């Protein structure tokens, strides 16, 4: 296995400067994973504030009930038993669900959670449980309903499930039919290349959806398959058993809503004052809460003493909102800015694994944590990888390309390579011809202009048409050279499709299922052996498997 660090594409971003320990940025968060003292300080704070959180016994009961719906592994059961211990802490990382496991970055985040928990447990000498928080309350179905794979022809194909007609409910509340699951599996089977692992893969996915689950539950079952043997515990934020425990925190978010908004605005000023742009600007008057309604999941805003949605579907007084926290807390849910606060109320969060965008918007949350008597957990940058397949490594060697060049300068390198294949110096010859033609044509232009001034524009037009035809012949000649090297150019395209599919990072496009099909379940398991970096960063991984 060969692992090397790769330079970040945006070294001045808030997330990257935090990752590298820039003190100006670290002030926004208060702690840093590279500081051993911060880990002990955070653990001590959590020990002192146990009484201000939800009952861990009841939370554990809810998690055990949810875990019973997933594939069972002794290691995840052991993690749940650890949660019952009074000195237990958790490392959390979360994501919206993804069809058939979603993009690689989700796999990497779960891996980061597990490795961070293992490292923290060793560091502190006490139980630390890895927990993956599935944002099942999110209603953006189009973010969750697809996965990208590479077909046998080499093209990128998107397999998806269309959202059922009706209101935009939370993903975990969106019912899917057996026909929809069958169609998605059939499409995946049609697009995935045939390999020795394909049939078992499809059968395992089929086993997860026999009872027509929500997309979130099917996703949780797959993550349990991938990481249950490493002790990962799964949580759905929209689990009604958990919602029943969140009422007191919803109450605080409602009663202190104006102070919450002011704290978020203060946090924005802290970020702007350090010269960074806001990841997502808060909206004036937003309650930063959602209401689950028959019309869908509605974002609430404040209108004097009432909580309303923009379309006028609902209007609740503060008293009515507080009644919901007592009677039906499952009708309420957090947004991206209040979810971290709710997470800290439910769990003893030692650290949270975050991607770059998440780190950027967490930058404004310091004052909000303080407002609610909380302290921000240690924020752990998600590990990011580029997987270098053996066949692509051979192509890089063939064309003398570095990984950095393949990722950032491939078009120019490809053009330079193609130009070297031109043994006739076609571009140079045509440039010379065009220059000589212009010189020869100039006297004619002067002569016809003298004969009749009106002919000047005709002479220019005639010259340009001739030059256009010369250029056309040049382009056809270059195309002919390219056609002679069609096989090689397809290899350049394969390099692009591997590193920058759809002009995006590999981990944001290809689904884990694509590599599972290509290299089998052993490939998934081997990631546990990749060394852990508590400050994340972008790394190239080569030689993870001997299968080619």
């Amino acid at each position: 296995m060969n692992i090397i660090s790769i330079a970040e594409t945006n070294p001045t971003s808030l997330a990257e400067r935090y990752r590298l320990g820039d003190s100006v940025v670290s002030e926004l968060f208060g702690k840093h994973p590279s500081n051993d003292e911060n880990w002990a300080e955070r653990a001590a704070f959590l020990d002192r504030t146990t009484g201000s959180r939800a009952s861990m016994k009841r939370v554990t009961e809810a998690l055990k009930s949810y875990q019973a719906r997933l594939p069972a592994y002794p290691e995840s059961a052991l993690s749940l038993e650890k949660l019952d211990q009074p000195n237990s802490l958790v490392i959390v990382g979360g994501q919206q669900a993804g069809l058939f496991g979603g993009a690689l970055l989700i796999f990497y985040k779960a891996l980061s959670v597990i490795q961070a928990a293992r490292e923290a447990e060793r560091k502190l000498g006490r139980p630390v449980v890895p927990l993956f928080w599935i944002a099942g309350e999110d209603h953006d179905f189009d973010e969750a309903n697809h996965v990208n794979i590479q077909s046998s022809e080499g093209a990128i194909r998107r397999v998806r499930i269309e959202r059922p007609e009706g209101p935009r409910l939370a993903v975990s509340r969106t019912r899917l039919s057996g026909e929809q699951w069958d169609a998605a599996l059939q499409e995946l089977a049609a697009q995935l290349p045939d390999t020795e692992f394909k049939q078992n893969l499809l059968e395992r996915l089929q086993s997860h959806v026999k009872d027509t689950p929500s997309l979130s539950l099917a996703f949780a079952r797959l993550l349990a398959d991938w990481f249950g043997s490493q002790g990962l515990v799964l949580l759905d934020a929209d689990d009604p058993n958990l919602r029943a425990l969140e009422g007191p925190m919803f109450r605080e978010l409602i009663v202190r809503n104006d102070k919450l908004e002011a704290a978020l605005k203060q946090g924005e000023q802290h970020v702007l004052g350090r010269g960074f742009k806001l990841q997502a600007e808060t909206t004036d008057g937003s309650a930063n809460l959602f209401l689950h309604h028959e019309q869908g999941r509605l974002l609430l805003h404040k209108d004097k003493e009432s909580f309303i949605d923009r379309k006028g579907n609902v209007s609740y007084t503060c008293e009515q909102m507080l009644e919901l926290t007592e009677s039906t807390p499952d009708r309420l849910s957090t947004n991206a800015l209040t979810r971290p606060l709710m997470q800290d109320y439910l769990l003893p969060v030692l650290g949270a694994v975050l991607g770059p965008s998440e780190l950027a918007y967490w930058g404004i949350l310091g004052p909000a944590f303080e407002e609610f008597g909380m302290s921000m957990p240690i924020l752990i940058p998600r590990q990011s990888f580029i997987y270098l397949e053996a066949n692509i490594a051979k192509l890089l060697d063939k064309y003398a390309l570095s990984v950095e060049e393949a990722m950032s300068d491939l078009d120019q390198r490809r053009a330079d390579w193609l130009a070297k294949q031109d043994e006739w110096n076609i571009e140079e010859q045509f440039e010379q011809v065009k220059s000589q033609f212009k010189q020869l044509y100039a006297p004619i232009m002067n002569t016809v202009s003298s004969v009749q001034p009106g002919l000047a524009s005709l002479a220019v037009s005639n010259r340009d048409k001739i030059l256009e035809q010369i250029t056309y012949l040049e382009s056809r000649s270059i195309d002919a050279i390219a056609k002679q090297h069609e096989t090689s150019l397809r290899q350049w395209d394969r390099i692009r499709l591997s590193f920058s599919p759809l002009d995006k990072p590999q981990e944001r496009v290809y689904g884990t299922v694509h590599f599972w099909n290509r290299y089998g379940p052993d490939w998934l398991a081997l990631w546990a052996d990749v060394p852990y970096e508590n400050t994340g960063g972008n790394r190239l991984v080569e030689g993870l498997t001997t299968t080619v």
Side-chain angles (χ1 to χ4, degrees):
M1 184 188 300
N2 183 32
I3 301 174
I4 59 173
S5 295
I6 299 293
E8 295 292 331
T9 55
N10 188 6
T12 62
S13 69
L14 186 152
E16 181 61 8
R17 285 178 59 182
Y18 169 76
R19 190 183 74 79
L20 296 175
D22 186 322
S23 59
V24 173
V25 177
S26 295
E27 289 173 356
L28 294 170
F29 306 103
K31 308 173 191 66
H32 195 270
S34 65
N35 188 329
D36 286 350
E37 291 181 1
N38 287 169
W39 291 92
E41 291 166 359
R42 174 63 179 173
F45 174 84
L46 292 171
D47 290 340
R48 293 194 304 271
T49 55
T50 299
S52 63
R53 291 192 296 277
S55 163
M56 201 58 211
K57 180 177 178 58
R58 295 183 63 190
V59 170
T60 303
E61 289 173 354
L63 293 177
K64 286 181 178 179
S65 177
Y66 182 73
Q67 204 77 17
R69 305 171 69 189
L70 313 179
Y73 289 87
E75 294 84 356
S76 58
L78 179 60
S79 289
L80 286 168
E81 294 305 320
K82 281 185 181 181
L83 281 175
D84 267 340
Q85 300 178 26
N87 65 336
S88 186
L89 305 172
V90 299
I91 298 290
V92 176
Q95 197 79 27
Q96 166 75 288
L99 180 64
F100 302 135
L104 270 172
L105 67 88
I106 299 176
F107 184 90
Y108 296 153
K109 180 173 281 188
L111 176 69
S112 299
V113 169
I114 292 166
Q115 291 185 324
R118 190 178 299 144
E119 174 71 10
E121 188 168 273
R122 182 196 62 78
K123 194 187 300 283
L124 298 176
R126 58 191 290 184
V128 181
V129 174
L131 191 149
F132 196 92
W133 180 293
I134 301 169
E137 62 193 0
D138 201 314
H139 60 280
D140 193 343
F141 194 80
D142 288 341
E143 278 193 7
N145 72 340
H146 62 272
V147 67
N148 295 314
I149 55 97
Q150 194 178 104
S151 70
S152 54
E153 295 80 26
I156 299 170
R157 301 297 185 195
R158 173 164 289 192
V159 179
R160 59 185 294 146
I161 290 181
E162 296 297 335
R163 184 181 69 84
E165 294 294 328
R168 291 185 175 274
L169 304 176
V171 172
S172 291
R173 303 186 188 199
T174 301
R175 295 184 176 181
L176 299 176
S177 68
E179 289 78 9
Q180 287 177 292
W181 279 117
D182 288 344
L185 282 167
Q186 289 171 14
E187 178 67 12
L188 182 68
Q191 297 296 346
L192 281 175
D194 290 332
T195 69
E196 61 182 297
F197 309 111
K198 181 176 177 178
Q199 188 58 38
N200 286 337
L201 177 157
L202 293 172
E203 288 175 359
R204 193 57 185 161
L205 293 177
Q206 175 66 52
S207 74
H208 294 156
V209 302
K210 285 190 297 186
D211 57 348
T212 63
S214 69
L215 200 155
S216 297
L217 182 54
F219 172 75
R221 288 170 174 169
L222 185 52
L223 281 189
D225 260 353
W226 288 345
F227 295 107
S229 63
Q230 298 181 53
L232 186 67
V233 174
L234 282 302
L235 172 157
D236 188 337
D238 202 44
D239 181 356
N241 290 326
L242 282 178
R243 279 282 184 263
L245 307 178
E246 294 177 350
M249 188 61 194
F250 277 125
R251 182 180 182 86
E252 292 299 308
L253 291 170
I254 292 165
V255 169
R256 301 193 201 180
N257 208 265
D258 290 339
K259 291 183 178 180
L260 169 64
E261 182 178 5
L264 293 174
K265 290 295 184 184
Q266 183 183 359
E268 288 183 336
Q269 292 307 310
H270 290 171
V271 171
L272 292 170
R274 286 165 173 76
F276 296 103
K277 294 181 180 179
L278 298 175
Q279 178 68 22
E281 192 170 355
T282 60
T283 303
D284 290 341
S286 174
N288 294 292
L289 292 170
F290 283 91
L291 179 78
H292 294 286
H293 187 266
E294 61 183 14
Q295 294 299 317
R297 184 172 179 249
L298 308 178
L299 181 61
L300 296 177
H301 298 265
K302 292 170 290 187
D303 180 20
K304 297 179 182 178
E305 299 301 317
S306 297
F307 290 79
I308 64 170
D309 75 299
R310 291 299 195 199
K311 293 185 178 180
N313 291 299
V314 297
S315 178
Y316 284 80
T317 65
C318 183
E319 289 72 21
Q320 288 173 322
M321 289 288 291
L322 293 176
E323 171 59 28
L324 290 179
T325 70
E326 297 283 348
S327 60
T328 52
D330 61 314
R331 293 192 61 194
L332 299 171
S333 71
T334 54
N335 74 349
L337 297 177
T338 49
R339 184 182 299 137
L341 301 174
M342 183 63 77
Q343 184 174 277
D344 226 55
Y345 170 74
L346 273 182
L347 301 162
V349 182
L350 177 64
V353 173
L354 304 177
S357 296
E358 292 172 303
L359 271 168
Y361 77 71
W362 272 64
I364 75 170
L365 293 180
F369 272 90
E370 293 176 11
E371 172 61 34
F372 289 88
M374 298 174 172
S375 172
M376 197 178 292
I378 297 172
L379 304 187
I380 306 160
R382 172 180 63 78
Q383 297 182 97
S384 189
F385 301 102
I386 300 162
Y387 179 57
L388 178 58
E389 299 179 82
N391 59 339
I392 300 300
K394 291 177 182 178
L395 292 179
L396 294 183
D397 289 341
K398 178 179 179 178
Y399 297 109
L401 282 171
S402 69
V403 171
E404 288 86 350
E405 289 169 341
M407 291 174 59
S408 62
D409 198 28
L410 192 65
D411 285 341
Q412 186 59 52
R413 297 289 174 177
R414 182 182 187 273
D416 292 345
W417 177 85
L418 186 59
K420 290 178 181 177
Q421 313 313 307
D422 176 13
E423 59 186 270
W424 304 274
N425 296 319
I426 284 178
E427 288 190 22
E428 182 179 329
Q429 286 196 56
F430 273 96
E431 282 302 316
Q432 185 176 359
V433 166
K434 283 186 277 190
S435 176
Q436 291 174 348
F437 168 73
K438 289 177 184 178
Q439 293 175 9
L440 289 171
Y441 197 78
I444 295 177
M445 293 179 65
N446 293 333
T447 299
V448 298
S449 296
S450 300
V451 172
Q452 183 177 328
L455 292 175
S457 60
L458 179 60
V460 170
S461 177
N462 186 52
R463 180 201 62 188
D464 291 347
K465 286 181 178 179
I466 295 171
L467 287 171
E468 182 180 331
Q469 288 299 309
I470 295 173
T471 300
Y472 173 72
L473 180 59
E474 178 186 9
S475 67
R476 288 297 301 273
S477 301
I478 293 172
D479 287 345
I481 294 175
K483 194 163 186 64
Q484 291 177 8
H485 299 280
E486 198 168 15
T487 299
S488 293
L489 292 176
R490 280 201 298 268
Q491 292 175 342
W492 282 86
D493 291 340
R494 284 169 62 190
I495 295 172
R496 180 194 305 283
L497 279 171
S498 180
F499 287 117
S500 304
L502 304 178
D503 294 325
K504 297 178 182 178
Q506 180 192 79
E507 65 178 24
R508 292 191 171 274
V509 176
Y510 289 127
T512 305
V513 70
H514 164 74
F515 294 95
W516 180 14
N517 179 67
R518 183 169 289 185
Y519 301 113
D522 288 347
W523 183 86
L524 303 176
L526 284 169
W527 281 95
D529 297 329
V530 174
Y532 171 63
E533 294 285 349
N534 65 8
T535 56
N538 205 11
R539 288 180 287 165
L540 179 79
V541 177
E542 182 183 7
L544 192 67
T545 176
T546 57
T547 306
V548 293

